[in-house]
Amino acid sequence: MLDIKGLKVKLEEEDKQILKGVDLAVGAGEVHAIMGPNGSGKSTLSYVLSGRDGYEVTEGSALLEGADILDMDPEERAAAGLFLAFQYPVEIPGVGNMTFLRTALNSQRKARGEDEVSSADFLKLIRAKAKDLKIDAEMLKRPVNVGFSGGEKKRNEILQMAILEPKLCILDETDSGLDVDAMKLVSDGVNALRSEGRSFVVITHYQRLLNHITPDVVHIMSDGRIVKSGGPELALEVEENGYADILAEVA
Amino acid sequence: MALPQAKADTTEARLAGLTLPEGAGWGRAAREDALSRLTAMGLPGRRDEYWRFTDPSSLNAPEPAPAAVFEAHEAPIWDGVDRLKVIFVDGVFDAAASDPLEMTGLEIERLSDAMTRDIHWAKDLYGKLETRGQTPVERPFAALNTAFATDGLVIRATGRAERPVAIVYLHGSETSDAILHHLVKVEEGAELTLLETGPAAARFNEAMEVDVADGGTFHHVRTQGRDHERRAATHAFARLGTESVYKSFTLTVNGRLTRNEQVVEFTGDDAVAHVAGACVGDGRDLHHDDTVFVTHDALACESRQVFKKVLRNGATGVFQGKILVKQGAQKTDGYQISQSLLLDEDSQFLAKPELEIYADDVACSHGSTSGAIDRDSLFYLRSRGVPEAEATDLLTLSFLAEALAEIEDAALAEELQIRLGEWLARRR
Ligand SMILES: Nc1ncnc2c1ncn2[C@@H]1O[C@H](COP(=O)(O)OP(=O)(O)O)[C@@H](O)[C@H]1O
Ligand SMILES: [Mg+2]
């Protein structure tokens, strides 16, 4: 599904190397977790994969189902099946949530040569998905993320994911700022989307989320590299001992 | 005081091509008064502080510069609205194409007809608010209008007008020069919505005097036509009585030069005035100027100015907005915001927001900003699959939304929103 080889990334504006050679292979249907201390480059990896500007890839490649995504525009990557649930979802005053979702869905369908979804079908779709995430009609009517609490923003990200049905979902600290109930809603939402053809990269700081979304592989990222990979037990190790031991061990 | 030579020359040259329209009686007297006001103040020049950001020379010129007629490939705006339609072609009333001038709750007739009658309410309004509006700042094009207007409507709402009056200004001749003057009187507790649409002429000078009596409501929504080369200088003068409501929204897309002046005066307590505008300007030749002057001379009135401009490819936007709170106008609530969205570095926005306050118990605020498309928002939309051009349009519409939200009637606002979306899409 996702094949990253020797990915090196620096900031466009300054001479600062952030990713220093990332290798990551995520198979179809798999869930991979990426953990690591603050500033290790997790969000940067997610931004580079989804095509945000400000970064320069100096070496390496990233393929989504065999296609080189690094040369694509962000919207092309989305149409190709990539989705990033943002660590900090953006507020967009003046653009209604519904309009936004429908425009996004139909843009992707158009790019893939599929028919657009009619207003009626879209309404049905969104009502069903929103209900599962306890997102009420009033929230759907509001401008994108404006006035949403932290938890509401994260649920809205998962709603978008459920509507857009991507092939590869990258969740960047979707658990931060969630209380126990919201965490349950969000992870149920994610689990409902798990399928053979869909893969997940779950970036998180804490092991907590991984109790709900069980990963196949856990990676530890530090200073722009993946320094250790293992099974779910690696997350427990981090939880118990922190990063220091692991980092000392690989140093 | 004698006028500076250049100003005197400009004024003389412009006046040489104009003659006072025929007619005797009060109309004639009002026109002659206006002409003497005009010759005393002279037409504006670049040296005038009020015209610092906008070059008036094409508005002053004896002849209008030719303007090609725009061929729209869409249904005319407001066609779906149940309305009383009044058509002017190059500034001339077209009776055959217009609806009969009759409606419950409303008296409406041509200015020239009203002027033939000795006794008419219009006598006390024609040129009166324009004259008041000349202090403290001169508005020479408005005086010129009162003197030389060749046509216009005289509208009096006596109750709740059952439908909006919609004036459609068609532009047919590439060299037309139209001067129209409308009077609107909204009687106590009456209600009227006035819609205006179209470029009117190659060069258009419009003045409207609106007198809203106690408890009256006036809504005004206009779109200024999409002809790229047209030029317009418009004035709306409003006098607002106790607990009256005045809401005005203008959408401008294209046009080489637009100067929209709005002069609002509160004379009764607890009244509300919202004046708003949205402009989408494209190209080095586009110059759009909103000049607003709100005077609070009563207790507890609320005024709002909301102006948004989207500028690209070297377009220029201007905003001059003033809130004047006179002594004793306590509990005034005044708000003013002017913002531009600059889609490239060639475009510019020049703003002069002003507050002048002589009362101590008031809440007034103003703000002015210029910015580009928010990169985070743009990336967020694109990451969801929305192509860059479409995402930019969505963000552009969202930027304008605050101004459109000032339109009272949600259906009218939605129609404009949809049109804007279509226009933006076609301009990509
Ligand atoms: N646009 C940027 N400008 C400056 N520094 C940046 C930028 N993006 C990332 N960085 C730096 O790169 C490093 C990795 O950041 P990030 O990817 O956000 O880490 P993480 O998500 O693992 O906490 C940090 O040192 C951060 O300050
Ligand atoms: Mg991060």
Side-chain angles (χ1 to χ4, degrees), chain B residues 368-422:
Chain B
S368 183
T369 66
S370 260
I373 286 274
D374 181 60
R375 293 168 75 93
D376 288 338
S377 303
L378 187 64
F379 174 62
Y380 191 67
L381 290 169
R382 294 179 74 189
S383 79
R384 297 306 182 240
V386 184
E388 184 172 13
E390 209 174 331
T392 303
D393 286 357
L394 264 180
L395 294 173
T396 301
L397 287 174
S398 83
F399 167 78
L400 295 173
E402 190 187 354
L404 282 152
E406 294 296 325
I407 302 172
E408 183 81 8
D409 184 322
L412 296 180
E414 197 185 329
E415 158 117 37
L416 288 186
Q417 171 96 10
I418 290 169
R419 295 268 172 160
L420 260 174
E422 291 167 358

Side-chain angles (χ1 to χ4, degrees), chain B residues 262-279:
Chain B
Q262 299 241 20
V263 184
V264 177
E265 186 184 9
F266 290 105
T267 54
D269 301 341
D270 299 304
V272 172
H274 293 188
V275 190
C279 162

